[in-house]
Amino acid sequence: MSLLKLLKEDEGLTPMLREFKNIIDSNNIKSVAFVGSVGVCQPFAELFGYAIRNKEGYFIPNGDLENVKKLVIKDIGIQMEDFKSLSKVDAVILFGGLAMPKYKVDIEKIKGLINKLSPKLVIGICFMSIFQKAGWDKEINFDYLIDGYIKVSIYKK
């Protein structure tokens, strides 16, 4: 069962990135593995990876340790390159796309991945409370959960 308590509320993507960076820095994290669904979460791994670009970063699509990508800084920002193997990181960051039913990611696979990587911290980053709606907050022992809400306004002349 989730024992998380509310620490702070704010609006926008910038506070998500700032608070994420603060969590990483204040916990002496040197390496992170972002885990997310293919396509949807990959750009978020690059975005959040850029916020902590002085750390060692990886992306594990759908929790598949056979397909690890290393986050590298290139001329246009963070990009991904193939990486051979990953056995340990300081923090595992799970993106909410994993919990979306259409991606059919088995939570037991993700729990096994967390055990294999034995991180100091497990951080969830999601929008619209997807981890809570899918019950992952009761199955995964998150140290921190960053949950954002998106309001969309479309205007026309």
Side-chain angles (χ1 to χ4, degrees), residues 76-88:
I76 60 168
I78 295 285
Q79 295 179 330
M80 297 187 184
E81 295 178 349
D82 289 338
F83 188 75
K84 299 260 187 236
S85 81
L86 188 62
S87 59
K88 181 154 179 50

Side-chain angles (χ1 to χ4, degrees), residues 70-128:
K70 183 168 178 57
L71 300 179
V72 293
I73 297 177
K74 297 280 187 156
D75 61 334
I76 60 168
I78 295 285
Q79 295 179 330
M80 297 187 184
E81 295 178 349
D82 289 338
F83 188 75
K84 299 260 187 236
S85 81
L86 188 62
S87 59
K88 181 154 179 50
V89 290
D90 290 338
V92 168
I93 291 82
L94 303 179
F95 285 117
L98 295 167
M100 296 175 74
K102 69 180 178 180
Y103 293 111
K104 298 179 172 85
V105 176
D106 181 15
I107 193 170
E108 295 303 321
K109 176 182 180 179
I110 301 304
K111 287 161 82 173
L113 173 75
I114 293 167
N115 284 335
K116 283 180 189 171
L117 296 177
S118 60
K120 293 193 280 187
L121 289 180
V122 176
I123 301 168
I125 298 176
C126 68
F127 291 96
M128 316 307 285

Side-chain angles (χ1 to χ4, degrees), residues 1 20 24 31 34 37 40 42 44 87 92 95 134 141 145:
M1 175 178 252
F20 172 70
I24 295 299
S31 60
F34 296 99
S37 58
V40 176
Q42 174 261 329
F44 284 102
S87 59
V92 168
F95 285 117
N141 189 18
L145 180 58

